[in-house]
Amino acid sequence: MKNQKPHRKFFPVFPVAIVLALLSLALVLLPSPLRSVEANSTYFDLSTGNLTLNLTSGTTNLITSNDNWTAVSSVEGYCGDGLTSTFGVDPQTVLTAEFPSSALPSSSDTCIAANKGNPSAYNAGGLAEFDSGTYLAFGFQGNVQSRAPYMVFYVNTTGRSNIRIAFDVTDIDGGSNNAVSQFAVQYRVGESGNFTNLPAGYIADATDPNVAGRVTSVNILLPPAINNQPQVQIRIITTDAAAPDGTSSPDEWLGVNNLRIGNFGTTAASVSVSGRVLTPGGRGIARASITMWDDQGNARNSISNPFGFYSFDDVPAGRTYIFTIASRRYIFNQPSQVLNVDNAYDSLNFFTSSK
Ligand SMILES: [Ca+2]
Ligand SMILES: [Ca+2]
Ligand SMILES: [Ca+2]
Ligand SMILES: [Ca+2]
């Protein structure tokens, strides 16, 4: 009888110890992406705002090592190995992923070359982060290995509707490659099965030979099928391109940037942005020159009136602008300000540092 007490205590403890040991062993043996939900494949809750992706000179740490998307929330890139059997395939017809059941996220197969500079000097294909040099962008270049590079955005649309995707595709390749650079937008609800193509998002050719710089802006409404769903995958994809004469050719790099997914209206809307130029004491300053730069380097100018008011009308909404100020007589605390313009804005004020 005396033995029973220790036995009763021992048996519950023993299996717990074994389970804990097995769990720790499993954690050591499992590939790391299975240990926890990675931020890069978390479904971004659109009720908290837009999912945005902007590669800038201040965000070069989004991708720090090859094939590693863990620092980029709700976004992953894959190279689409073998998704087509030849070049020149319309990406609108490529509706699968290169994994069993087309399942995504795929824990160990994300793809991107980190920390690249000049696109025309780098021809490995697939996806690349061009985070230095003239063009900062997520690069796409199909080739015989990476037949259909793509990026996937994971969003939770619970309670949301009228969701748009907007992004810019730039020809970032100033080299002699001449490709018919197609680009497509697709979606699906859930994590496997075919994607559905969105014809409104299709670009037939985003590039010009021998030069870089052409920008094609996409801004489309996503279909009601994606509304109010916890798991929506939106994909942007290119394919290994052909030359204009239909023959095989090395692809030009396409650069994707300024991407947003959310309920942000259309680009057709334009709004006014205004403010005042003031001393710290609130006195308006006349004839200060304010310049508004858009994200493609286009500039507009406005001069403050005798009360310090200035304004820009017909500003296309849904973009980011930089406002700079200059005056021969004054120094300003914040001579340049960045504004994401989604609605009219009337208080972009500039203050002098004294007087
Ligand atoms: Ca980087
Ligand atoms: Ca080009
Ligand atoms: Ca082209
Ligand atoms: Ca090609």
Side-chain angles (χ1 to χ4, degrees):
M1 287 298 283
K2 273 190 176 176
N3 290 351
Q4 276 183 345
K5 243 184 176 176
H7 271 265
R8 272 186 195 149
K9 271 189 183 165
F10 182 69
F11 277 113
V13 170
F14 183 66
V16 168
I18 288 182
V19 167
L20 283 177
L22 287 174
L23 268 178
S24 9
L25 185 65
L27 284 174
V28 170
L29 293 178
L30 280 173
S32 61
L34 293 182
R35 290 185 206 168
S36 61
V37 178
E38 297 280 356
N40 49 307
S41 56
T42 301
Y43 286 82
F44 181 89
D45 183 352
L46 287 178
S47 70
T48 64
N50 297 335
L51 172 60
T52 61
L53 182 67
N54 289 302
L55 186 58
T56 68
S57 57
T59 59
T60 59
N61 284 333
L62 290 178
I63 306 290
T64 53
S65 58
N66 288 343
D67 304 331
N68 186 348
W69 286 85
T70 53
V72 191
S73 293
S74 307
V75 183
E76 290 188 323
Y78 294 91
C79 277
D81 292 0
L83 275 183
T84 74
S85 54
T86 185
F87 57 88
V89 173
D90 183 343
Q92 297 180 101
T93 67
V94 179
L95 301 174
T96 58
E98 65 272 41
F99 309 109
S101 307
S102 295
L104 293 172
S106 177
S107 57
S108 56
D109 294 288
T110 52
C111 165
I112 191 164
N115 311 330
K116 297 301 177 188
N118 178 4
S120 55
Y122 177 69
N123 274 306
L127 296 173
E129 178 213 29
F130 293 105
D131 68 355
S132 61
T134 306
Y135 295 101
L136 306 184
F138 291 91
F140 289 61
Q141 185 187 53
N143 69 8
V144 69
Q145 167 81 22
S146 302
R147 287 289 199 184
Y150 58 90
M151 283 167 61
V152 186
F153 305 91
Y154 301 106
V155 293
N156 170 359
T157 65
T158 302
R160 311 297 292 172
S161 59
N162 294 318
I163 297 156
R164 307 187 73 87
I165 179 170
F167 57 91
D168 294 332
V169 180
T170 302
D171 176 351
I172 58 172
D173 194 328
S176 59
N177 292 350
N178 184 6
V180 180
S181 305
Q182 302 179 79
F183 208 81
V185 182
Q186 308 173 347
Y187 75 94
R188 70 183 174 188
V189 175
E191 303 195 304
S192 61
N194 279 11
F195 284 86
T196 300
N197 182 65
L198 291 166
Y202 175 65
I203 304 170
D205 185 0
T207 55
D208 305 304
N210 304 311
V211 292
R214 191 204 314 180
V215 179
T216 308
S217 294
V218 172
N219 184 331
I220 61 170
L221 184 64
L222 296 165
I226 73 150
N227 295 348
N228 203 28
Q229 298 288 338
Q231 292 184 329
V232 176
Q233 299 190 349
I234 299 165
R235 177 163 88 160
I236 58 177
I237 184 168
T238 188
T239 43
D240 178 4
D245 65 1
T247 60
S248 174
S249 89
D251 290 20
E252 296 171 65
W253 280 102
L254 298 174
V256 168
N257 214 349
N258 305 321
L259 184 137
R260 289 179 304 149
I261 296 172
N263 183 335
F264 48 75
T266 71
T267 49
S270 56
V271 298
S272 66
V273 175
S274 60
R276 291 186 74 190
V277 184
L278 298 163
T279 65
R283 185 170 58 84
I285 290 170
R287 293 197 304 278
S289 171
I290 298 97
T291 305
M292 178 185 83
W293 302 85
D294 71 14
D295 49 15
Q296 290 161 43
N298 302 307
R300 286 169 60 185
N301 198 255
S302 177
I303 305 291
S304 61
N305 76 8
F307 304 102
F309 287 101
Y310 75 91
S311 116
F312 294 94
D313 296 321
D314 300 315
V315 177
R319 307 201 78 118
T320 301
Y321 298 85
I322 299 173
F323 296 81
T324 59
I325 190 164
S327 160
R328 273 177 296 183
R329 294 174 55 202
Y330 296 96
I331 292 171
F332 293 89
N333 284 336
Q334 220 184 333
S336 75
Q337 301 191 46
V338 177
L339 190 66
N340 297 311
V341 176
D342 282 326
N343 301 106
Y345 196 78
D346 64 3
S347 53
L348 190 73
N349 299 332
F350 289 89
F351 289 94
T352 63
S353 56
S354 62
K355 289 187 185 177

